[in-house]
Amino acid sequence: MSSSPPSEKVSAPRSQRYTDQQLRTAEKRIQQFQERCFRLAVTEAMGKGKEPKDPADYELVASRLATIKGQCGIFDYVPHEKQRIFHEAKCKIKLFQGGNQSGKTTCAIVEMLEWALGVQLHNGEPKLHPITGEQINPAHLRMAYEVDDFVNKVGEVIIAKIKELVPWDAVVVKADRIQGGAIHKLTFYTGATLKFLSYDQKVNKHEGFTWDAVFFDEPPPRWAFIAAFRGTMRRNSPMFFAMTPISEPWIQEELVENPCAQRLTSYDQIDELDTHSYLMVEVSLYEIDHLPEEEKEAFINSLTEEEKAARVYGRALHLQGRVFKSYTDRSRQFTDERLEEISAACGVHWSEWPWGQIVDPHDRRPYAVLWFVVSPRDEIMFVREWPEFDFYSVKNCQNKVDDYVAIFEELEAATFVHPPSWRRMDPRFGRTPKATTNTTLQEEFAARGLVYDCDFTDDQLLETGHHKINKRLDDDQILVHESCFNLHKAFLNYVRDDHVRDDGSKPAKEGKTSVKEKHKDFIDCVRYCLEDNVEWHEPFRGGIQSYELPPGGMLGRRF
């Protein structure tokens, strides 16, 4: 299974990595495993309760023991570099994203077995808890293995792989079955148990457990992850993912893009992790050398370009229809320090640059709001956003117009030194009269001193707005402050609908861009920003009571 060249990082000697007690315990557990294999050979050769007595008996036992040793595939397991990172990383969440046949399932099952038996059988070393650092005691250990298809995946993949790696009858003392015969729980000779759960079960089947470790085979729905995560909290237990990322976009949004996430490409980087880290490893099919090249090429050639991203390179399939592909992770973000550097280079501090606000209102959810400045080089730099928490996690917001006015005034007073050059609002929402008062949202804000431009047209195809944004991105003319979490997430996850439908159906209208509604709010704000000319003009300087708008601008607030 070895595929990647060995890392230059050399592990410390065993005597430095483990205590004498840990090494002795590991040795005893290996001897216990070997004794289990020998007793199985005796039972199968002689019959239950009988012992070998003569040379012929011993020869029969030796023959049977050789067969059982042949079932110990775990002794032949040599992890490639990404698998080694997965096994040895000391952190809460470990995510192995790989294409087909990349070794992810084998890696996860080896990890599970070595938890169950309390020792790393593949290299003879102690098995330590990745968070506490203590040696794992398998007695009474409770583990979960969650799959996408209970009947087929458990029997045909997980159980089959366990039998490839260890002698089943030597390590499993009890296999509980549900009606219909499918195995749902294993008990190992050490006392450890493994419970199988499926994403197609009812939610309540996943609740109420306390786990020492949880394994996910293929992407779980978010509710399954939350139930499992809750079950790991009491014992500070780790969670392991082994998957081809062809579904469940939330994993990309909440785990891969989490501030705790670290994507490692080399074993040399493993010391960068801490116990709060989310480990991400991606394995390409091209990195695997145990498959015949002609078989790999035939499989790869059968895939579409977007399928290759997930099934060959282990990248999230749901992002292959991304509208803004040039916006990559962190590539367009800037810090306060960088903003000060740009200000110094321009000769005008950024707080004196022309700035604007864009609002995308909603009835029940929070408004999506962006503030931007325009640099002397006509770069649009989004410096603040509201809400300053995860917009997508809030389903109901009770804020009224007065509440939003107070929020906007407080943030703007703390950020800018002169009035805005642009205030824009979603024209459809802003100009639609309320049934109860017959007033528009635009009029309600204007009555409180905030005058929004809703006169620009938004009836063009989305594709036109997307083109404008992409053109600005390609020219490095759109930048996002590192604090604008929601806008950053939107740029990374805004995808065309025709690339993510499970049934392969096309958009409703040919020739018209169709996009997923999720993550659209903040992108709409960017579109509104670019609907009319937004460019540098001379800044306003102190003592301004009112001001003339630049060409292409809009009515601003009078201070």
Side-chain angles (χ1 to χ4, degrees):
M1 283 186 185
S2 178
S3 60
S4 301
S7 169
E8 295 182 1
K9 183 180 177 71
V10 178
S11 297
R14 285 162 50 104
S15 59
Q16 295 181 19
R17 286 180 287 141
Y18 308 107
T19 66
D20 290 342
Q21 181 60 47
Q22 289 172 341
L23 292 170
R24 286 194 296 270
T25 299
E27 185 176 352
K28 288 179 181 178
R29 289 175 180 168
I30 292 174
Q31 292 172 352
Q32 186 182 17
F33 173 77
Q34 293 171 336
E35 176 65 19
R36 294 282 305 182
C37 292
F38 176 75
R39 296 313 308 172
L40 177 62
V42 170
T43 298
E44 291 185 351
M46 306 305 303
K48 189 174 182 179
K50 296 182 179 180
E51 296 291 329
K53 296 180 179 178
D54 53 43
D57 289 346
Y58 283 107
E59 185 175 343
L60 192 60
V61 170
S63 174
R64 191 59 205 150
L65 185 58
T67 300
I68 291 172
K69 286 183 178 180
Q71 299 170 1
C72 296
I74 198 166
F75 290 138
D76 298 322
Y77 172 71
V78 180
H80 58 63
E81 185 172 23
K82 301 289 180 64
Q83 290 172 322
R84 187 182 175 198
I85 294 171
F86 188 84
H87 289 306
E88 297 186 23
K90 297 177 175 61
C91 55
K92 168 74 176 181
I93 290 178
K94 304 184 185 185
L95 195 151
F96 190 129
Q97 290 191 159
N100 294 80
Q101 299 296 315
S102 59
K104 59 187 182 299
T105 300
T106 298
C107 181
I109 294 178
V110 166
E111 182 73 17
M112 179 275 296
L113 286 171
E114 294 182 339
W115 272 71
L117 305 185
V119 64
Q120 298 188 74
L121 288 176
H122 77 277
N123 61 13
E125 296 186 355
K127 189 66 178 175
L128 305 184
H129 195 286
I131 302 173
T132 67
E134 298 176 356
Q135 190 163 23
I136 290 173
N137 180 4
H140 310 299
L141 196 73
R142 300 183 69 187
M143 300 180 293
Y145 214 113
E146 306 206 16
V147 299
D148 55 351
D149 182 343
F150 197 101
V151 175
N152 296 313
K153 184 60 69 71
V154 172
E156 297 181 13
V157 178
I158 308 301
I159 299 297
K161 181 62 69 174
I162 291 174
K163 291 180 177 179
E164 288 180 17
L165 293 168
V166 293
W168 178 267
D169 291 330
V171 300
V172 176
V173 296
K174 186 179 180 182
D176 294 330
R177 298 176 182 270
I178 58 176
Q179 293 179 350
I183 294 174
H184 76 93
K185 183 179 179 181
L186 300 179
T187 303
F188 298 89
Y189 68 83
T190 58
T193 60
L194 180 69
K195 172 75 173 175
F196 292 108
L197 296 167
S198 174
Y199 310 149
D200 54 16
Q201 291 176 305
K202 293 181 179 179
V203 175
N204 62 359
K205 296 290 185 181
H206 292 247
E207 300 287 353
F209 296 102
T210 298
W211 303 117
D212 294 288
V214 177
F215 298 82
F216 294 102
D217 184 86
E218 301 305 347
R222 189 174 185 276
W223 62 262
F225 169 77
I226 294 299
F229 190 90
R230 188 160 48 242
T232 66
M233 294 174 64
R234 182 177 178 183
R235 297 176 182 169
N236 198 16
S237 307
M239 308 178 79
F240 305 87
F241 295 73
M243 62 186 215
T244 299
I246 60 175
S247 61
E248 301 299 339
W250 73 268
I251 294 176
Q252 179 75 21
E253 299 163 17
E254 298 186 30
L255 300 185
V256 176
E257 295 170 16
N258 191 288
C260 295
Q262 295 194 56
R263 182 180 284 105
L264 301 194
T265 58
S266 167
Y267 185 79
D268 295 341
Q269 301 169 307
I270 200 166
D271 291 337
E272 298 175 9
L273 300 172
D274 59 39
T275 56
H276 300 290
S277 298
Y278 294 179
L279 167 70
M280 308 294 153
V281 291
E282 293 177 346
V283 180
S284 163
L285 193 57
Y286 289 110
E287 297 179 63
I288 307 303
D289 62 8
H290 70 274
L291 297 175
E293 289 299 320
E294 59 273 16
E295 294 294 330
K296 284 197 289 189
E297 289 303 319
F299 173 72
I300 292 169
N301 291 335
S302 71
L303 304 173
T304 66
E305 289 303 312
E306 287 163 359
E307 288 173 331
K308 288 178 183 178
R311 297 192 179 277
V312 176
Y313 298 101
R315 299 170 188 159
L317 180 62
H318 83 281
L319 294 180
Q320 301 317 305
R322 287 183 60 215
V323 176
F324 307 115
K325 294 183 178 180
S326 65
Y327 188 102
T328 55
D329 191 29
R330 311 301 179 196
S331 67
R332 307 290 183 194
Q333 289 190 303
F334 63 92
T335 63
D336 287 333
E337 292 75 16
R338 178 58 179 157
L339 190 55
E340 294 296 334
E341 291 174 3
I342 296 174
S343 295
C346 294
V348 181
H349 194 266
W350 70 268
S351 62
E352 296 189 71
W353 296 352
W355 64 274
Q357 181 203 32
I358 311 293
V359 179
D360 186 35
H362 304 93
D363 279 324
R364 297 180 180 175
R365 293 187 297 150
Y367 289 8
V369 189
L370 291 176
W371 286 267
F372 65 92
V373 295
V374 180
S375 79
R377 292 174 291 195
D378 284 334
E379 298 155 317
I380 296 177
M381 307 180 73
F382 292 98
V383 292
R384 296 291 182 268
E385 69 177 15
W386 193 91
E388 296 174 318
F389 48 83
D390 187 359
F391 171 84
Y392 305 97
S393 66
V394 180
K395 307 304 181 185
N396 189 29
C397 181
Q398 302 297 323
N399 283 352
K400 306 299 182 184
V401 171
D402 287 333
D403 299 316
Y404 282 113
V405 170
I407 291 170
F408 299 166
E409 288 182 340
E410 180 180 0
L411 189 147
E412 291 171 3
T415 307
F416 306 106
V417 299
H418 60 71
S421 297
W422 307 273
R423 285 198 197 275
R424 292 178 181 170
M425 180 181 290
D426 174 2
R428 291 184 178 87
F429 204 107
R431 293 184 300 194
T432 301
K434 293 183 178 180
T436 54
T437 63
N438 201 36
T439 59
T440 66
L441 191 61
Q442 181 186 31
E443 292 170 340
E444 291 188 19
F445 273 101
R448 292 161 174 82
L450 299 184
V451 181
Y452 285 90
D453 178 7
C454 296
D455 293 333
F456 59 92
T457 59
D458 186 37
D459 55 359
Q460 60 183 315
L461 292 176
L462 280 176
E463 194 66 42
T464 304
H466 296 164
H467 176 75
K468 289 183 177 181
I469 296 174
N470 271 316
K471 178 66 167 60
R472 287 273 192 164
L473 287 171
D474 291 342
D475 294 340
D476 293 327
Q477 292 287 295
I478 289 180
L479 300 172
V480 179
H481 191 271
E482 63 179 355
S483 66
C484 296
F485 166 81
N486 293 298
L487 179 57
H488 176 63
K489 178 184 280 191
F491 267 124
L492 289 176
N493 292 279
Y494 185 65
V495 295
R496 302 180 192 277
D497 195 26
D498 52 313
H499 285 76
V500 292
R501 291 182 180 174
D502 295 332
D503 60 4
S505 61
K506 298 295 183 182
K509 295 182 180 180
E510 292 294 336
K512 183 175 181 179
T513 299
S514 179
V515 295
K516 281 286 188 181
E517 285 298 315
K518 189 172 184 181
H519 304 295
K520 187 172 180 289
D521 311 86
F522 281 90
I523 297 302
D524 280 346
C525 286
V526 180
R527 285 198 306 112
Y528 302 152
C529 177
L530 301 182
E531 284 293 343
D532 202 350
N533 291 332
V534 172
E535 56 190 21
W536 167 264
H537 56 268
E538 282 301 314
F540 306 107
R541 300 189 184 274
I544 301 296
Q545 298 301 314
S546 63
Y547 56 91
E548 295 284 334
L549 289 173
M554 49 147 285
L555 288 178
R557 180 179 174 190
R558 298 178 69 87
F559 282 69

